[in-house]
Amino acid sequence: MAKVAPELQYSDEHEWVAREDGSDVVSIGISAVATDALGDIVYVDLPEVGSTVTAGETCGEVESTKSVSDLYAPVTGEVTETNSAVVDDPALINSDPYGAGWLFKVAAVSDGPLLSAQDYASKNGGEL
């Protein structure tokens, strides 16, 4: 069973959201449930810094040895940072999806529908 980080929130499309204390900036990545389903990730296309993403809409893609999957924004706001390490080495997403494999940060103005870690794990067969 794939690990689900209990301190995060999740979208139905398998993105996770980590809130920074006292800030509207959130980090976004994809869950271990998603990385297990995708297999070895070989390419990632992230939104540009300064662009606006809208909750529920596509904002990039992840390509694995099995398939290409769209990335969906779990929040609405301006992209403030992207993780160049995962662009250079997409395998980081597989090896550390909740740490070094984060994808981008957004100054969020609103959230899309997000699930608690427990609800996400129950719905997707993950374990806390």
Side-chain angles (χ1 to χ4, degrees):
M1 254 190 207
K3 178 86 174 124
V4 174
E7 69 278 9
L8 303 176
Q9 291 179 293
Y10 297 83
S11 71
D12 279 331
E13 291 81 19
H14 307 289
E15 287 81 17
W16 56 257
V17 175
R19 301 195 181 280
E20 297 182 10
D21 289 336
S23 170
D24 61 352
V25 174
V26 298
S27 298
I28 296 166
I30 60 172
S31 72
V33 171
T35 62
D36 283 0
L38 286 167
D40 294 334
I41 296 171
V42 296
Y43 174 77
V44 63
D45 178 37
L46 302 176
E48 291 185 27
V49 171
S51 66
T52 299
V53 295
T54 302
E57 293 188 6
T58 59
C59 62
E61 66 182 27
V62 176
E63 183 176 329
S64 72
T65 54
K66 292 181 181 179
S67 68
V68 176
S69 296
D70 286 331
L71 275 177
Y72 291 88
V75 299
T76 297
E78 182 179 333
V79 177
T80 61
E81 186 178 349
T82 59
N83 185 353
S84 59
V86 299
V87 173
D88 295 340
D89 183 10
L92 282 172
I93 302 167
N94 291 104
S95 62
D96 191 9
Y98 302 119
W102 66 275
L103 300 177
F104 59 100
K105 295 185 179 186
V106 173
V109 294
S110 65
D111 294 349
L114 297 174
L115 303 168
S116 69
Q118 184 172 359
D119 289 344
Y120 179 79
S122 296
K123 187 175 183 177
N124 295 287
E127 69 178 352
L128 293 175

